Amino acid sequence: MNATSDTALRNHELFEIVPPLITTADLTTLADALAPATPEQITSLLKRLSVEQQAIVYRLLSKDRAIEVFELLSPAMQSDLIRGLQDAEVTAIFANLDPDDRVWLLDELPAALASRLLQGLTLKERHLTAEMLGYPKGSVGRRMTPEYVTAKADSTVSDALARVRARIDEAETIYTLPVLDDSRRVVGIISLRDLLRAEPESQVSDVMQDPDMVIAYRSAEAAARMCANLGHLALPIVDKESRLVGVLTIDDAAKILQHEETEDAARQGGVEPLRRSYFATPLRRLVSTRVVWLLVLAIGATLTVQVLSIFEATLAQVTVLALFVPLLIGTGGNTGNQAATTITRALALGDVLPRDVWKVLLRELVVGAGLGTLLGLIGGVVTALVYEPHIGLIIGITLFAVCSMAATVGGIMPIVAHALRVDPAVFSNPFITTFVDAAGLIIYFLVAQAVLGI
């Protein structure tokens, strides 16, 4: 059995034995069961427990293991756990977090609790955390780390290595060093590998590389995407005068991207993101994340009903048309969703920019027409053989028109949303489906009236 299978089996065994032990309050046996588990296994276990059960399990961990496990949890789950622990436990956990992780957690906590936790920090840690909290929510300034090592452009490689050794225990990363001038402006960047390879007495300015950097007010997602795309272990974060204020590490960039992509995936499916594991989410929260979208979509669906009522006379004359309504609106919705998902992802990756709206419109129109031609020929021929030639002609023309329209709308709606500073995922699948359903029915009945002469 490989390591992955062993881990999965161990996770399953833990979840089988832990809840009954919590129910019977057999804490001694529970502590023994948790002892051989790794922090990753305990994290997986916590994700499948209720908030109350999480606090019980967490209290049985040693201090060092508890801190490791806490850092592996999402900010929302950290927030839930914080509320279930005693003040002394919470203060110890909070003080041991890195400043960037601490700020992420504070964004999830009520203001009163956040303020109380800040007061329990040392003056130095409180100052570091407060500086990061001064940046807008969603900005990379709240996700950078202020614990880093720098090098001076006019210093020697030997001096730079000495700075690394002096701060190796307190810096979050030492593998990439921003290079600063006398005014703390970033003028270069150098990796630890290059420092170790260079001659000790050579100047840092002679071996450094040109820097990539991001202003602290830029969105965290954009900065994380840049860090990942460029393959940097750390990305300098600067103020408007290019003075260094922090660095974004690759592991934090990965965490940001995972968080953003989870939100996008949820909203494209017509739900609000849970922000915590499924089993740790209360049932009322599961209901609330779905009901609002369902109500919005139900209201939007009245457009489809209105269209059907307008063309009720046409349906009464040719009842066979009603049989193809699900096919046509389903095909249109799927075509629009495909285009929207593709463009939303391209926007996130930077492959498509808002100014590309006309290029995208033309490309998606051509793609939609191509899809419509193929589906229209197949659907039209099959329908003509089963029913009548004029019904096949209606279905063929409608499929072509609906696919062309749906792909175009699905392609440009995320760009419009992005230009309006709205999450493109919100404008994607649910709303596009509603719009395309109504528009597709209008096209369908207008084509039918033209072909049948009614």
Side-chain angles (χ1 to χ4, degrees), residues 164-293:
V164 172
R165 294 188 186 96
R167 300 205 57 195
I168 195 168
D169 291 328
E170 58 187 75
E172 187 165 332
T173 181
I174 60 169
Y175 301 108
T176 300
L177 281 66
V179 181
L180 311 180
D181 63 13
D182 292 334
S183 301
R184 289 192 57 79
R185 290 185 175 86
V186 178
V187 294
I189 197 163
I190 188 168
S191 68
L192 182 59
R193 178 193 294 270
D194 289 339
L195 277 179
L196 292 171
R197 188 165 47 196
E199 292 295 328
E201 297 308 314
S202 59
Q203 293 286 113
V204 169
S205 58
D206 294 333
V207 292
M208 69 183 186
Q209 306 293 322
D210 292 335
D212 295 304
M213 48 191 170
V214 175
I215 294 179
Y217 293 92
R218 192 174 181 184
S219 79
E221 182 180 4
R225 190 76 63 189
M226 178 178 174
C227 184
N229 289 344
L230 294 175
H232 292 323
L233 295 177
L235 190 64
I237 309 301
V238 298
D239 62 16
K240 294 177 180 178
E241 283 76 38
S242 296
R243 291 189 292 262
L244 186 70
V245 293
V247 298
L248 178 68
T249 60
I250 187 63
D251 57 327
D252 287 333
K255 190 190 302 183
I256 292 167
L257 294 177
Q258 181 185 32
H259 176 79
E260 294 295 334
E261 287 168 5
T262 299
E263 284 194 345
D264 288 348
R267 286 174 177 154
Q268 285 178 350
V271 297
E272 281 299 301
L274 296 180
R275 302 172 67 82
R276 50 183 55 77
S277 70
Y278 176 80
F279 286 106
T281 304
L283 292 177
R284 64 180 183 278
R285 172 64 179 164
L286 290 175
V287 172
S288 66
T289 59
R290 303 180 191 182
V291 68
V292 174
W293 284 93

Side-chain angles (χ1 to χ4, degrees), residues 317-439:
Q317 293 183 53
V318 189
T319 55
V320 71
L321 293 177
L323 299 176
F324 297 95
V325 168
L327 166 68
L328 296 173
I329 64 176
T331 301
N334 291 335
T335 304
N337 289 341
Q338 287 177 335
T341 300
T342 301
I343 300 304
T344 299
R345 182 65 176 162
L347 281 168
L349 294 173
D351 295 339
V352 170
L353 302 175
R355 65 170 178 265
D356 297 325
V357 60
W358 296 112
K359 292 181 182 179
V360 171
L361 186 149
L362 181 59
R363 286 176 65 87
E364 289 301 324
L365 178 60
V366 173
V367 170
L371 293 170
T373 299
L374 292 173
L375 295 176
L377 285 172
I378 296 171
V381 170
V382 172
T383 303
L385 294 174
V386 175
Y387 293 93
E388 299 176 18
H390 58 272
I391 300 298
L393 180 61
I394 293 170
I395 298 304
I397 294 173
T398 303
L399 281 171
F400 172 80
V402 166
C403 287
S404 301
M405 177 271 299
T408 305
V409 171
I412 64 172
M413 284 297 282
I415 299 178
V416 172
H418 189 277
L420 296 175
R421 300 186 183 279
V422 178
D423 188 346
V426 175
F427 262 68
S428 290
N429 300 6
F431 286 106
I432 289 171
T433 298
T434 301
F435 173 81
V436 169
D437 285 354

